[in-house]
């Protein structure tokens, strides 16, 4: 089964929609199809650029697309519940055990609270997920009532994750409107994520760099 078939699956679409609905109720930024598609494509880009086999690239995309379905159950430990949900969905769709294993491992390890880049697919998923910071993820239209997560995401005018030609480093490059949110705001909520990104990059044999407004911060 392919990534595109997973994307078109009505059951999976329902779970993603309802998972995001729960986060809407809690006041979180967008975790719907735009987010999971962006994560899927970035995870695939990372492994494809590094020369991984085509099927492993496909599995990275599938893991990216499914990684947040655990929010359907609860935001707390959503990576673990999402891994269990993904296990059943993939098993029902006759994925082989080795593919189910690597996808569920990646999903279960994507969150900075409990996750670690235990394999290359998990590392790619972590980098793809934690780099999805953008203005369009903010749902709140009232700037005066922004919380720090709204401010940070809304302040990011451009976000780019790229691997260099020598395949020695991966760079997250952000263009931030500091009139909306400060660099300190970014680190206040994302420091743990950036540390996890550095570990993920190392798992892939890369150095991780964070650039904000052309200044290297990590």
């Amino acid at each position: 089964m392919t990534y595109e078939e997973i994307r078109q699956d009505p059951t999976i679409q329902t779970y993603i929609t309802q998972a995001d609905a729960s986060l809407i109720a809690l006041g979180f930024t967008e975790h719907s199809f735009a987010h999971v598609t962006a994560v899927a494509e970035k995870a695939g880009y990372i492994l494809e650029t590094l020369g991984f086999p085509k099927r492993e690239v496909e599995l990275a995309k599938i893991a990216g697309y499914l990684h947040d379905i655990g929010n359907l159950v609860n935001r707390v430990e959503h990576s673990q519940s999402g891994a269990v949900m993904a296990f059943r969905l993939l098993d029902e769709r006759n994925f082989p055990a080795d593919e189910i294993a690597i996808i569920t491992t990646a999903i279960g390890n994507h969150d900075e609270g409990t996750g670690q880049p235990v394999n290359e697919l998990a590392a790619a998923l972590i980098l793809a997920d934690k780099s999805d910071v953008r203005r369009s993820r903010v749902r709140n239209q009232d700037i005066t009532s922004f919380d720090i997560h709204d401010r940070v995401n809304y302040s990011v005018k451009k976000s780019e994750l790229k691997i260099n030609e020598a395949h020695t480093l991966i760079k997250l490059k952000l263009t931030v409107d500091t009139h909306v949110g400060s660099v300190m705001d970014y680190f206040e909520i994302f420091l743990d994520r950036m540390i996890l990104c550095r570990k993920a990059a190392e798992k892939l044999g890369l150095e991780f760099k964070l650039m904000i407004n052309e200044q290297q911060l990590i």
Side-chain angles (χ1 to χ4, degrees):
M1 196 168 188
T2 68
Y3 165 60
E4 286 301 326
E5 288 174 317
I6 289 292
R7 287 186 68 192
Q8 300 304 319
D9 189 298
T11 298
I12 291 170
Q13 289 176 348
T14 297
Y15 291 162
I16 291 172
T17 298
Q18 187 56 51
D20 188 52
S22 296
L23 295 188
I24 291 173
L26 295 171
F28 280 79
T29 53
E30 181 266 325
H31 283 72
S32 190
F33 297 104
H35 172 62
V36 299
T37 301
V39 172
E41 296 295 335
K42 287 181 182 180
Y45 155 76
I46 291 168
L47 293 193
E48 183 176 30
T49 301
L50 295 177
F52 280 73
K54 184 177 180 180
R55 185 58 183 170
E56 288 189 43
V57 172
E58 192 83 351
L59 297 182
K61 290 182 178 182
I62 292 169
Y65 200 74
L66 298 177
H67 81 282
D68 267 344
I69 58 173
N71 287 305
L72 176 71
V73 179
N74 197 293
R75 178 62 180 174
V76 178
E77 297 184 354
H78 72 282
S79 56
Q80 279 74 45
S81 54
V84 174
M85 289 178 66
F87 175 90
R88 179 167 182 178
L89 288 166
L90 298 172
D91 187 49
E92 288 176 341
R93 286 152 181 78
N94 298 313
F95 276 71
D98 60 335
E99 294 187 353
I100 294 174
I102 196 169
I103 291 171
T104 54
T105 296
I107 292 173
N109 278 280
H110 84 268
D111 187 66
E112 66 272 13
T114 56
Q116 293 292 332
V118 293
N119 57 40
E120 287 84 359
L121 199 149
L125 178 56
I126 287 167
L127 286 161
D129 182 39
K130 305 316 171 191
S131 64
D132 188 26
V133 186
R134 51 187 161 80
R135 178 167 290 189
S136 56
R137 293 193 71 183
V138 178
R139 307 184 204 267
N140 184 1
Q141 298 300 305
D142 181 8
I143 295 178
T144 63
S145 65
F146 276 2
D147 64 15
I148 189 170
H149 288 85
D150 291 333
R151 285 202 311 273
V152 167
N153 279 279
Y154 195 82
S155 70
V156 177
K157 298 165 66 177
K158 185 178 180 181
S159 173
E160 186 177 32
L161 185 70
K162 287 292 183 183
I163 297 172
N164 69 342
E165 290 187 9
H167 297 173
T168 57
L169 67 87
I170 185 167
K171 182 186 298 183
L172 175 57
K173 187 175 181 181
L174 305 177
T175 302
V176 172
D177 182 350
T178 54
H179 293 96
V180 177
S182 69
V183 173
M184 188 59 69
D185 283 343
Y186 182 89
F187 277 104
E188 184 176 339
I189 63 172
F190 287 157
L191 179 58
D192 288 346
R193 298 182 188 186
M194 294 301 98
I195 291 171
L196 186 58
C197 282
R198 184 166 60 189
K199 292 179 181 178
E202 290 171 356
K203 183 67 177 180
L204 293 165
L206 302 170
E207 180 183 358
F208 176 71
K209 289 188 178 182
L210 172 65
M211 305 282 294
I212 298 180
N213 294 348
E214 302 298 334
Q215 292 189 347
Q216 181 178 325
L217 300 175
I218 292 179

